[in-house]
Amino acid sequence: MSTLLIKLFATALTFSQIATRPDSVRTSFDPDRSRGEVTQILRDGCTHLRRAFDVEDINIDELISTAMEDPKAVAGDTAMLKGLDFKDLELSYREFCKSEKVEREVVDLGEVVRAYNEAMVDLPDVAKLKNFRLPGASTVLDGSGQRFTEVYPPDGRRAWVPLKEIPEIVRKAFVAAEDKRFFQHHGLDERGVIRAFMTNLAGSGRPQGGSTITQQVVKNLLVGDDITYQRKMREMVLAARLEKILSKDEILEIYLNAIYLGRSSWGVEMAARSYFGKSVGALDLREAALLATLPKGPNYYDPERYPERSRERLAYVLSRLLDDKVIDEGRRAAALAGKVALVPSERSRRDSGFYVLDHVNREARTFAGVENLTASTYTIHTTIDAALQRATETALQDGLARYEMATGRARFLEPEGNLAAAIEKLRTTAARAASAEVPAALAAPAAPPSGDPAPAASRKGRSAAAKAARPVPIVPAGPKPDWLRALEAWRAPLYDVHWPTAVVLDTRPGALRVGLRDGRVLPLAAWSEGRKLKLYDVVLVRAGAGKAGGRAELRIRPTVQGAAVAIENRTGRILAMTGGFSYPLSQLNRATQAVRQPGSTLKPLSYLAALAQGVQPNTLLWDRAVTLPPIGGVGDDWTPRNADRSESGLTTLRRALENSKNQVTARLLDGVIDSRPEDSLQRVCTLALEAELYAECERYYPFVLGAQPVRPIDLAALYAAIANEGGRPSPYVLESVEEKGRLLYRHEARTPVRIRSADRVAFYQLKTMLQGVVARGTASAMRSLAPYVAGKTGTSENENDAWFAGFSNDVTVVVWVGNDNADGKRRTLGRGQTGGRVAVPIFEAIMKAAWATRPRTPLAPPSPEASRLIADIGIDLRTGDRAGHGGFTEHFRRSASGAVVDTQFRFVERESAYAARGGFPDGGDEIPYSTSPDPDMYDRDPPGWPQGRAQQGGGPDWFQSDQNRFVWPGEEQPRRRQRRVDPDYFWGPRDIY
């Protein structure tokens, strides 16, 4: 007995039970003892089926006789009957349908039963479809209320609508097209199966299935769409069971919300929006009928790509509606005569915001009780600025790649993909289509598409001159070349990286060329990596413009990681967030789910504690090594050093923070903040806890230099608090969640919480000092932005982490760059790769993007509450002395009586300062800001941290350089600056600011 005949009879056993004894369908038989029962079931089923043939006016006996005389006349080339012995089929028909005694038995009922039993193992429970609701597509809105994206499972871009909200014409159109006897049958429609069988025998077009709507629901939701007899048997049994527990309306509701209809749309509601730009409730007859044409094959009958096929199918659906007397001839003709107005097909694939959407999902679960955004059809209002979000992702991706290229760490491992197979398939398809119209003997070989080099084999005989002479157009003309069609259909693995993809079209040394999605063909700058490229490789590029179309530069996936977050100062609204280079590579959101040592970005807390104690920004302190005793007498002394091992002698509090002096920061603990170092540390810890940087403060001295890891999002809230003069906002991204118009959650507006261990005056003074970091200090690479932003660089020990945290009047941005070190190994960014060098350019790009939709205004003056306690006095920026005329405007704290308490010499005796008059020779201990080729060199943290770092003596190579030379912005060569020298100036001859 053939395997095909076994499967056919097992399927017949399934059908026969459901058709003749639906209330007692067995899912298991004994292969030996049940032969008589199985025989009777098959005979009853055959009798039932013969009646259905008679109803359809088909003479089954005549059909069998014809098949015996001329099998090809019946089956033709029908794949479904290939391999079937028609003699065996005729004998089995006589045995089971006509109860005749045949000369030989061709059906082994034992094998049939075994095949049937195997198919029925572990049938799903149809009861799960009772009150069933499929996951839907939730719409995520940005901060302005515009659609940001949709969130849905891979097979679930749908909006569930109750059946009563679906117009009757839509329901009847789908029933007429897909299952005419839906309301009459009980899960299976033998007449529909017969019609499909005969249609498949008669034609060579798309095969018809004959499945009922109930069977399609079972297939889509319970048994899958495997093309096997086993699946079909399981589907029939479950369809019969489903009809017993659900009403016809309940089944139809599931079907109309579950069916795939093209354009990444499941269900009639989402399809109506995708094709017509309206809800399903607003569809007219023509639109309803057009949707009903799609279940048979959404791509095959796509009205945009194949209008003729779509029109033919539309005519069929309208004729079925006419036969069912749902419409009259006039309405049918009018619907067929008109043209359906389709809205443009929108790209539904997301390419931005994956990290922030994960955060939205977590907040929705926490605050709105929504287990998953796809559990239903929700409308989610968020705080996201869509343009800034994309700009933030682009800035981080560019910054990470720029760092690796600049340090020589970029390594090209492999292309993003290769389109050779796809291009060959397109060419083969085109050749077959051409051969169907042109005799093979007359067909000429196809020329390579414009802009697409000929295959390698055809190039072997060409001379080098001929190769070089072959033109490659910048913009291909005429029909789209094969490489472009293949590239357009290709799905990038890193779908959220905002660099163009391009396909390699020429690999000759010195003549590398790539094709872009916009049709341009450009030369590729790939350096030595070009030798690794093959024809039709897909790579990431940076495409420029210029003469003859510019050129493309190869972009390489970086191995270094990063994170960036932007929040609104006053409210804490998260405007943008990205937790890594690319979400497909790593789903860890480093902005909210990872902690790293913040380095010097934590130093402002120590300066804030000092300012809160009444210490003025012009207070003089020694930048010399200081040793602090162990806390509680346990452990070792702590003696931090500046990153470059230099000592600048006397410096002001302001300039120490601007230049990120570790020794001065440590000295603040030694009697400046409080009388005892451990008490000073406790004050800094209190500020950190009030700012909610940590749940618990690690009470050890390196804490003040950023040794305790922190989340970027929490650091952003701290810097926003500085911008707000002490009001810390709570960052959030979720504004509200609605389910079909019902409000589930709304964020309560909250006033920023005051950090009470420091007053507004201290915060404002700190803000101006952080503005100096940008104007003159470790972030002076963006000094042109100093009137508008303030912030602090940070670099952890051995350059493991690079940071910049800064703010404008409206927005705070924090950027972190580093290696994940998930394997326990600490990988450095490299000597000199500090926050000022690596993180500042990323921050600058993000902040400029934020100003695209926000006013770019100078940092705000002190609030009225702070202004009453502040006196603006001109000082000498270097010495902190009051200036008679002009000078740098410093902001001094007033006492309650209005007096300014002078703390300039509180910690350094005036006599000692005067005695140091010869201690600062020209080009001596301190490096002027303008002459330092690496302004962020001061921003590396000292030894003494838990990881340890070897002591290194001496300074950088430029330490003894000419201190009277500096570089103007935009100039490559230094020019000499004019300086005024007062021979009686008590610090000695110095550059004057």
Side-chain angles (χ1 to χ4, degrees):
M1 182 176 182
S2 72
T3 302
L4 177 56
L5 205 57
I6 292 173
K7 294 176 180 178
L8 284 174
F9 267 82
T11 306
L13 176 59
T14 310
F15 175 84
S16 297
Q17 287 194 89
I18 296 169
T20 63
R21 52 197 76 185
D23 296 329
S24 57
V25 175
R26 291 183 56 179
T27 57
S28 178
F29 293 93
D30 187 286
D32 299 318
R33 299 176 183 176
S34 301
R35 289 174 180 266
E37 182 182 0
V38 169
T39 299
Q40 188 58 49
I41 292 172
L42 289 172
R43 286 176 174 171
D44 291 345
C46 191
T47 301
H48 182 87
L49 198 59
R50 282 174 60 89
R51 295 195 194 103
F53 270 98
D54 292 340
V55 171
E56 293 295 320
D57 292 328
I58 299 172
N59 189 322
I60 186 64
D61 292 327
E62 183 178 323
L63 186 65
I64 293 291
S65 298
T66 304
M68 291 302 301
E69 294 172 4
D70 185 5
K72 192 156 188 171
V74 173
D77 294 325
T78 304
M80 61 183 287
L81 297 179
K82 283 184 177 178
L84 187 64
D85 187 330
F86 276 87
K87 181 61 177 176
D88 288 350
L89 185 62
E90 188 257 349
L91 289 175
S92 59
Y93 171 73
R94 287 167 51 199
E95 179 181 1
F96 290 100
C97 292
K98 305 188 78 172
S99 299
E100 294 181 5
K101 189 164 184 68
V102 295
E103 57 268 29
R104 62 182 176 88
E105 291 186 356
V106 295
V107 178
D108 185 341
L109 289 181
E111 291 297 321
V112 170
V113 167
R114 291 186 186 92
Y116 176 80
N117 290 347
E118 183 181 349
M120 295 296 116
V121 173
D122 295 329
L123 282 175
D125 183 7
V126 296
K128 67 174 64 175
L129 298 185
K130 188 72 176 175
N131 300 318
F132 182 70
R133 291 293 180 272
L134 283 161
S138 293
T139 302
V140 181
L141 307 179
D142 63 18
S144 63
Q146 301 298 310
R147 179 179 174 274
F148 179 60
T149 190
E150 288 178 339
V151 183
Y152 52 89
D155 60 347
R157 184 174 174 257
R158 66 171 57 79
W160 187 283
V161 288
L163 188 66
K164 63 183 179 181
E165 296 180 15
I166 300 175
E168 185 179 18
I169 188 61
V170 175
R171 287 180 265 167
K172 290 187 173 180
F174 275 85
V175 170
E178 291 297 304
D179 189 359
K180 183 176 182 178
R181 298 183 63 248
F182 173 67
F183 290 100
Q184 285 78 49
H185 63 66
H186 299 287
L188 297 184
D189 182 10
E190 58 272 24
R191 290 165 58 182
V193 172
I194 290 169
R195 284 195 301 270
F197 178 80
M198 298 308 297
T199 300
N200 292 337
L201 287 180
S204 59
R206 290 175 59 80
Q208 303 298 308
S211 294
T212 65
I213 283 177
T214 311
Q215 286 177 272
Q216 292 183 55
V217 168
V218 168
K219 179 186 72 173
N220 292 333
L221 302 179
L222 295 177
V223 300
D225 58 356
D226 294 340
I227 306 175
T228 64
Y229 285 94
Q230 279 194 344
R231 189 270 293 174
K232 200 67 178 178
M233 287 186 276
R234 294 164 68 86
E235 176 188 297
M236 287 191 289
V237 171
L238 294 176
R241 291 180 178 179
L242 186 62
E243 291 267 353
K244 296 182 182 303
I245 66 171
L246 294 185
S247 68
K248 289 290 187 179
D249 281 352
E250 288 174 320
I251 295 172
L252 186 59
E253 180 178 305
I254 294 175
Y255 173 77
L256 292 176
N257 281 286
I259 191 71
Y260 179 65
L261 297 171
R263 288 197 175 186
S264 300
S265 302
W266 280 259
V268 292
E269 172 64 20
M270 190 60 71
R273 298 180 193 176
S274 298
Y275 285 98
F276 312 118
K278 62 177 74 172
S279 177
V280 66
L283 297 184
D284 59 24
L285 168 62
R286 184 187 306 137
E287 294 162 342
L290 182 64
L291 288 190
T293 68
L294 297 170
K296 275 287 184 276
N299 294 324
Y300 188 82
Y301 293 111
D302 185 340
E304 188 173 41
R305 298 174 60 193
Y306 307 108
E308 290 304 318
R309 289 181 192 168
S310 175
R311 183 176 174 79
E312 289 176 7
R313 182 69 180 168
L314 177 63
Y316 167 78
V317 174
L318 290 171
S319 67
R320 295 294 292 264
L321 286 170
L322 180 64
D323 293 343
D324 293 343
K325 297 182 172 46
V326 176
I327 61 173
D328 56 25
E329 177 58 33
R331 293 186 68 192
R332 186 200 72 84
L336 195 58
K339 185 176 181 182
V340 177
L342 300 174
V343 298
S345 178
E346 293 185 0
R347 180 184 177 90
S348 60
R349 290 175 177 171
R350 290 190 281 133
D351 64 354
S352 176
F354 290 91
Y355 288 106
V356 77
L357 284 172
D358 267 2
H359 193 65
V360 169
N361 196 44
R362 285 192 293 274
E363 286 201 0
R365 187 181 303 117
T366 301
F367 300 120
V370 172
E371 184 59 31
N372 194 293
L373 294 182
T374 61
S376 182
T377 300
Y378 300 107
T379 300
I380 301 106
H381 295 259
T382 72
T383 63
I384 294 301
D385 180 325
L388 183 58
Q389 174 66 36
R390 192 175 190 86
T392 298
E393 293 174 6
T394 301
L396 183 66
Q397 291 163 3
D398 287 345
L400 298 181
R402 182 171 53 243
Y403 152 75
E404 289 206 343
M405 291 175 66
T407 56
R409 297 190 175 198
R411 294 290 182 270
F412 181 82
L413 299 178
E414 59 183 359
E416 300 299 303
N418 187 280
L419 300 182
I423 292 172
E424 180 62 27
K425 184 176 180 180
L426 286 171
R427 289 175 175 169
T428 301
T429 302
R432 286 176 179 170
S435 64
E437 300 177 3
V438 181
L442 302 178
S450 177
D452 193 353
S458 66
R459 296 200 306 263
K460 288 182 178 178
R462 296 181 182 175
S463 66
K467 290 180 182 178
R470 179 172 53 83
V472 181
I474 296 300
V475 181
K480 287 183 180 179
D482 293 332
W483 65 261
L484 181 54
R485 293 165 58 202
L487 184 61
E488 288 176 341
W490 183 73
R491 171 69 160 155
L494 302 188
Y495 41 78
D496 61 344
V497 172
H498 305 305
W499 297 333
T501 52
V503 57
V504 177
L505 300 179
D506 197 334
T507 58
R508 293 172 298 155
L512 274 174
R513 289 181 181 272
V514 292
L516 278 69
R517 285 180 183 268
D518 60 9
R520 287 184 295 165
V521 177
L522 301 178
L524 176 67
W527 307 280
S528 60
E529 312 295 349
R531 297 194 300 269
K532 303 176 183 178
L533 296 176
K534 301 190 295 293
L535 193 64
Y536 303 133
D537 275 348
V538 182
V539 294
L540 298 168
V541 300
R542 179 179 182 273
K547 294 181 179 179
R551 70 170 187 169
E553 294 179 357
L554 183 67
R555 282 288 178 264
I556 300 173
R557 296 183 183 186
T559 57
V560 70
Q561 276 292 355
V565 59
I567 68 172
E568 195 171 70
N569 294 340
R570 296 293 178 186
T571 63
R573 289 160 52 93
I574 297 175
L575 304 175
M577 174 193 291
T578 180
F581 171 73
S582 176
Y583 186 83
L585 288 177
S586 169
Q587 289 75 56
L588 175 67
N589 187 343
R590 295 159 186 82
T592 61
Q593 295 176 310
V595 293
R596 297 299 290 249
Q597 290 181 335
S600 298
T601 57
L602 200 72
K603 286 179 182 175
L605 280 181
S606 299
Y607 289 81
L608 179 63
L611 294 168
Q613 294 301 105
V615 179
Q616 306 285 18
N618 74 327
T619 302
L620 290 171
L621 293 169
W622 288 106
D623 178 20
R624 291 178 180 171
V626 59
T627 298
L628 301 181
I631 297 175
V634 179
D636 299 326
D637 294 343
W638 185 54
T639 307
R641 294 293 305 274
N642 289 333
D644 61 355
R645 306 300 184 267
S646 68
E647 293 184 354
S648 56
L650 280 179
T651 186
T652 64
L653 196 69
R654 168 181 287 277
R655 296 189 65 206
L657 180 59
E658 290 176 355
N659 289 304
S660 200
K661 296 292 187 178
N662 294 329
Q663 293 177 162
V664 177
T665 305
R667 192 174 289 276
L668 293 178
L669 302 179
D670 191 19
V672 177
I673 297 174
D674 211 318
S675 57
R676 298 192 311 153
E678 53 262 44
D679 294 336
S680 297
L681 176 61
Q682 183 57 51
R683 288 186 180 274
V684 179
C685 279
T686 298
L687 282 170
L689 294 175
E690 286 188 33
E692 299 183 26
L693 280 177
Y694 308 104
E696 184 177 353
C697 175
E698 298 285 349
R699 294 191 73 254
Y700 65 117
Y701 293 129
F703 170 83
V704 300
L705 300 182
Q708 183 172 344
V710 67
R711 296 192 309 166
I713 187 71
D714 296 326
L715 197 63
L718 168 64
Y719 276 77
I722 299 172
N724 295 337
E725 290 186 1
R728 182 196 183 276
S730 296
Y732 73 98
V733 72
L734 190 65
E735 290 282 14
S736 67
V737 179
E738 299 173 11
E739 183 182 19
K740 300 175 183 176
R742 181 170 62 96
L743 183 66
L744 300 181
Y745 167 78
R746 185 182 301 281
H747 177 80
E748 296 286 340
R750 301 170 188 171
T751 304
V753 178
R754 297 294 309 169
I755 298 176
R756 299 193 177 278
S757 293
D759 63 0
R760 287 180 176 272
V761 174
F763 274 105
Y764 181 73
Q765 289 176 313
L766 178 62
K767 181 171 82 169
T768 67
M769 292 166 69
L770 293 176
Q771 194 172 14
V773 173
V774 179
R776 297 170 297 277
T778 57
S780 60
M782 57 173 179
R783 61 173 63 90
S784 63
L785 303 186
Y788 316 103
V789 299
K792 184 69 185 74
T793 54
T795 312
S796 67
E797 187 181 23
N798 289 332
E799 293 86 14
N800 288 319
D801 306 274
W803 296 78
F804 187 81
F807 53 84
S808 67
N809 281 326
D810 304 309
V811 177
T812 293
V813 176
V814 170
V815 175
W816 167 81
V817 176
N819 292 290
D820 279 338
N821 300 330
D823 56 3
K825 298 179 181 178
R826 293 180 62 83
R827 295 176 176 82
T828 177
L829 293 171
R831 181 172 177 81
Q833 301 306 314
T834 60
R837 187 182 295 268
V838 179
V840 162
I842 300 172
F843 169 88
E844 184 175 0
I846 296 172
M847 187 57 71
K848 288 180 176 178
W851 284 328
T853 55
R854 293 168 181 81
R856 177 172 172 169
T857 56
L859 287 178
S863 64
E865 297 91 332
S867 182
R868 291 192 295 268
L869 297 175
I870 291 177
D872 290 345
I873 301 174
I875 67 166
D876 183 285
L877 186 60
R878 290 186 174 279
T879 66
D881 288 346
R882 298 197 183 193
H885 299 285
F888 175 81
T889 300
E890 187 58 272
H891 309 282
F892 287 85
R893 175 190 293 274
R894 293 179 185 270
S895 65
S897 64
V900 174
V901 179
D902 186 1
T903 65
Q904 181 183 6
F905 295 101
R906 177 179 292 182
F907 308 104
V908 174
E909 295 182 0
R910 189 182 300 267
E911 292 77 10
S912 298
Y914 278 90
R917 180 174 180 177
F920 294 89
D922 192 14
D925 295 327
E926 190 170 353
I927 303 168
Y929 311 107
S930 56
T931 63
S932 171
D934 183 3
D936 200 30
M937 184 62 76
Y938 299 100
D939 194 36
R940 284 172 290 174
D941 293 310
W945 287 22
Q947 295 81 12
R949 174 159 139 176
Q951 295 286 335
Q952 299 178 11
D957 294 339
W958 45 264
F959 187 77
Q960 301 297 330
S961 63
D962 182 359
Q963 301 303 301
N964 197 34
R965 297 179 66 77
F966 73 108
V967 180
W968 288 97
E971 291 186 349
E972 295 184 358
Q973 297 299 324
R975 55 182 285 189
R976 184 167 296 277
R977 175 175 58 182
Q978 297 296 322
R979 66 177 180 178
R980 298 178 290 112
V981 179
D982 183 348
D984 296 323
Y985 190 60
F986 74 95
W987 290 115
R990 299 289 294 169
D991 295 338
I992 307 300
Y993 277 74

